[in-house]
Amino acid sequence: ALQPPAVEYGEVYIEGDDFWANIAYYCLFRFKWAPSYLLSLSAEDRAFVAAAVSIAIREERRNQPKS
């Protein structure tokens, strides 16, 4: 099962259990999608976007330089 990601973008950090809020936040800043656009997608397309965003976040974190 997909876990709610903690989405990082610039100085802003959203962490929590609201999975779709985190996905919408990522899509807004990465793809310039309004949340209403994300919600207008079919259930299958939203599931694909959520899985792709979760993978992208994991890869971004893995490739970040260690502080």
Side-chain angles (χ1 to χ4, degrees):
L2 292 174
Q3 295 297 316
V7 178
E8 295 181 50
Y9 190 82
E11 297 293 317
V12 180
Y13 188 81
I14 293 179
E15 186 174 351
D17 294 332
D18 193 340
F19 179 76
W20 287 108
N22 284 314
I23 297 297
Y25 178 85
Y26 188 91
C27 290
L28 176 66
F29 286 100
R30 284 297 175 128
F31 310 135
K32 309 299 186 222
W33 291 359
S36 59
Y37 176 74
L38 177 64
L39 295 175
S40 74
L41 298 174
S42 69
E44 293 84 6
D45 289 342
R46 284 193 311 269
F48 177 80
V49 168
V53 166
S54 295
I55 291 168
I57 291 169
R58 187 177 14 189
E59 290 299 310
E60 288 172 9
R61 285 190 173 160
R62 195 173 62 127
N63 293 326
Q64 277 183 340
K66 302 286 185 219
S67 301

